[in-house]
Amino acid sequence: MARCLVTGATGYIGGRLVPELLAAGHDVRCMVRSAGRLRDLPWAGHVEVAEADAHDADRTAAALRGIDVAYYLIHTMGGGKGFEEADRTAAVGFARAAEAAGVRRIVYLGGLTPGTGGELSPHMSSRSEVGEIFLRSGVPAVVLRAAMIIGSGSASFEMLRYLTERLPMMTTPRWVRSRTQPIAVRDVLRYLVAWAGIPDEVDRAFDIGGPDVLTYAEMIQHHASVAGLPTRVIIPVPVLSPGLSSHWVGLVTPVPANIARPLVESLRNPAVCREHDIAAHVPDPPEGLIGFRQAVSLALQRIREADVATRWSSASTPGAPSDPLPTDPDWAGGSLYIDRRSMPVDAAPEALWRVIEGIGGENGWYSLPVAWRIRGALDRMAGGVGLRRGRRDPRRLRVGDSIDFWRVEEIEPGRLLRLRAEMRLPGLAWLELSQAEEDGRTVYHQRAVFHPRGLLGHLYWWLSSPFHRLIFGRMPRNVAAAAARQGAKSRPRRGPHDRRARERA
């Protein structure tokens, strides 16, 4: 069995690869920027954790010590200027550190590109370059080149799903006619795990794809059919550039424009496998690779059962703040605006906690839904994530989960939920919801904290204070009412026998 390092373990693929490697009997070390992001994952107690950024040479070298197979699952999505140089620098440093540490193999998941012709998008070009860096390094490397990955929670799949479900008729740009070879996430994971046990002399790239070659328009129609929806009316138009298309996708789907853009740009060119040589090393399963319709069916089943292990939003949002909540003593005398609210609740602590842990997504924010939607729309207009990310699970949360334009920074089950804002703000913001028993009563506590950046940050707080008072002022009352309803539902109903017993007593 191999000793494996998984980078990007908080991301969509990495978070699913780790338990698969463990199930196959491998030892796993996860390289993450913050160990706390792994704390609540079901497999966290079975892995080693190394805190390191791929741009930190010393920490990366330490993370790679004693490793046989290193999985490189890092790629900038939605990055701003200079992301190509950042990707290049990180890959070169990782390859050098892996060689110095005596790593037997690097495994990289890249993108499927046309063999000749067609100008690559900046993101696809960067992914191709990273693959070449590993293939030219002193460590044997396997580069798996995949097109669209179909699975519950993937950005590509959510983009497809929401476009299909929300638009019975759509005008679409030319890229819907590009041919692509999608692959089920289960097959991607099967390939990745297999390379932990294959001899070291293999050093090359492989195209990987499912059995179907389809246009995006055909995928929309197949998705509609599997989901039991009527045939969609698709009217191609030649005028929507990738930039305009990404904003259109951002309006219709939960995927924000800055992440939708590289996905859309990757669809401009055909993405069809030119070979299937990987089968000589990782044979196809007896039942064959998973087809597109089956992959969609499996993904929709996971979504219906609220069994989505990871989502595209599991990874940190580019440009989002990562600073922890400042403690009050450290900020004494500084600029830290705080809005505190409390309210007694006519319900058991368990009922109140169910409301707190279930906040956001389809359950909403218990205060002026229209105002929250407007705030989300403004954030998306400013290039932020808005409210449409929703939740990974409708009932349970863990550190690192995204909830609309918040991310779970801390959760103490039954007591505290702290959310860090990932909306576009001139400062840093947190929302803290907690519950406690005081003098025999259940009490709900709420605290909003804002640390401004510069004069604009102060102006933002003062100008938005009336809005905050309205929003945050209503939340405690509505949360308390929801908790009381939860408590009433959980109390057993009394029947006529209970009534007669009380009368006899």
Side-chain angles (χ1 to χ4, degrees), residues 54-87:
H55 292 90
D56 186 326
D58 293 336
R59 290 198 171 193
T60 298
L64 284 162
R65 264 184 222 118
I67 291 299
D68 298 315
V69 179
Y71 289 90
Y72 193 83
L73 303 174
I74 299 171
H75 182 67
T76 307
M77 286 292 286
K81 293 179 180 178
F83 79 90
E84 302 102 320
E85 179 59 31
D87 283 349

Side-chain angles (χ1 to χ4, degrees), residues 79-317:
K81 293 179 180 178
F83 79 90
E84 302 102 320
E85 179 59 31
D87 283 349
R88 183 182 307 117
T89 302
V92 168
F94 190 86
R96 287 174 179 165
E99 184 176 9
V103 172
R104 292 195 291 105
R105 167 173 291 129
I106 295 172
V107 181
Y108 173 63
L109 180 61
L112 185 58
T113 58
T116 56
E119 182 182 354
L120 295 182
S121 70
H123 280 267
M124 291 304 293
S125 178
S126 178
R127 295 181 76 173
S128 180
E129 181 186 14
V130 168
E132 289 300 318
I133 287 169
F134 290 137
L135 291 171
R136 293 195 305 266
S137 73
V139 180
V142 167
V143 175
L144 302 180
R145 298 184 295 218
M148 182 185 296
I149 296 175
I150 304 299
S152 60
S154 86
S156 296
F157 179 71
E158 289 207 12
M159 191 171 94
L160 174 70
R161 179 167 75 96
Y162 279 89
L163 286 174
T164 304
E165 292 179 359
R166 291 182 172 176
L167 298 176
M169 182 172 69
M170 62 189 92
T171 55
T172 55
R174 286 178 298 178
W175 51 259
V176 300
R177 298 193 291 270
S178 296
R179 295 166 72 245
T180 189
Q181 194 164 347
I183 183 169
V185 67
R186 296 189 186 194
D187 282 329
V188 173
L189 294 172
R190 188 174 59 84
Y191 284 134
L192 288 168
V193 172
W195 286 104
I198 292 174
D200 305 345
E201 57 267 17
V202 180
D203 184 17
R204 58 161 290 183
F206 295 92
D207 292 351
I208 59 172
D212 302 311
V213 177
L214 304 163
T215 67
Y216 203 86
E218 288 170 335
M219 286 190 282
I220 288 173
Q221 300 296 11
H222 281 303
H223 186 290
S225 173
V226 172
L229 300 171
T231 300
R232 284 10 213 164
V233 178
I234 299 174
I235 306 170
V237 294
V239 294
L240 284 180
S241 67
L244 288 173
S245 295
S246 64
H247 287 290
W248 167 63
V249 170
L251 288 173
V252 176
T253 81
V255 182
N258 63 334
I259 292 178
R261 178 158 188 156
L263 298 177
V264 168
E265 287 178 333
S266 70
L267 294 169
R268 290 186 307 185
N269 299 317
V272 179
C273 296
R274 297 178 297 278
E275 41 83 8
H276 189 51
D277 297 350
I278 196 168
H281 305 278
V282 187
D284 293 350
E287 66 277 12
L289 298 170
I290 297 172
F292 178 78
R293 291 177 67 91
Q294 185 186 358
V296 170
S297 179
L298 290 168
L300 292 177
Q301 181 181 348
R302 283 291 186 95
I303 292 167
R304 284 193 298 270
E305 295 172 355
D307 186 23
V308 180
T310 59
R311 295 180 70 215
W312 60 272
S313 57
S314 300
S316 297
T317 301

Side-chain angles (χ1 to χ4, degrees), residues 5-16:
L5 178 77
V6 177
T7 65
T10 59
Y12 177 71
I13 293 293
R16 297 187 181 210

Side-chain angles (χ1 to χ4, degrees), residues 343-385:
M343 177 163 285
V345 178
D346 184 21
E350 297 79 18
L352 175 56
W353 180 251
R354 283 197 295 271
V355 174
I356 290 174
E357 192 174 10
I359 202 162
E362 294 296 322
N363 296 323
W365 292 90
Y366 298 98
S367 179
L368 296 175
V370 172
W372 281 93
R373 284 197 291 271
I374 291 172
R375 184 64 184 89
L378 291 173
D379 187 56
R380 289 179 81 87
M381 288 170 62
V385 294

